[in-house]
């Protein structure tokens, strides 16, 4: 019985934590839609937008190419 309660606790905790990170959609000026995991960060020094794509890869795009960033 204790094992079942422990597993149930882990499942509920994992479900709660997975709901904390929001996904975003970046629209580019050439019409592409880029889905991101988490909020993209804008580096003010370089002008690059850093984000994690849906495959988990860290990516960068020139901030001049991005028209909007919207939370899903």
């Amino acid at each position: 019985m204790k094992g079942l309660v422990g597993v149930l606790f882990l499942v509920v905790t994992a479900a709660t934590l997975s709901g904390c990170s929001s996904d975003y959609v970046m629209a580019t000026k050439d019409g592409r839609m880029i889905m991101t995991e988490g909020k993209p960060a804008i580096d003010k020094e370089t002008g690059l937008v850093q984000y994690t794509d849906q495959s988990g890869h860290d990516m960068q795009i020139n901030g001049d190419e991005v028209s909007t960033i919207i939370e899903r």
Side-chain angles (χ1 to χ4, degrees), residues 10-58:
L10 289 175
V11 169
V12 170
T13 302
T16 302
L17 291 176
S18 68
C20 291
S21 67
S22 298
D23 293 336
Y24 286 76
V25 178
M26 290 192 304
T28 63
K29 292 181 180 174
D30 64 359
R32 292 182 294 146
M33 301 297 272
I34 302 172
M35 309 296 183
T36 70
E37 290 184 2
K39 187 174 183 176
I42 301 169
D43 186 343
K44 298 202 186 262
E45 287 183 23
T46 63
L48 295 174
V49 178
Q50 301 171 348
Y51 63 96
T52 304
D53 67 9
Q54 290 186 319
S55 301
H57 298 102
D58 291 329

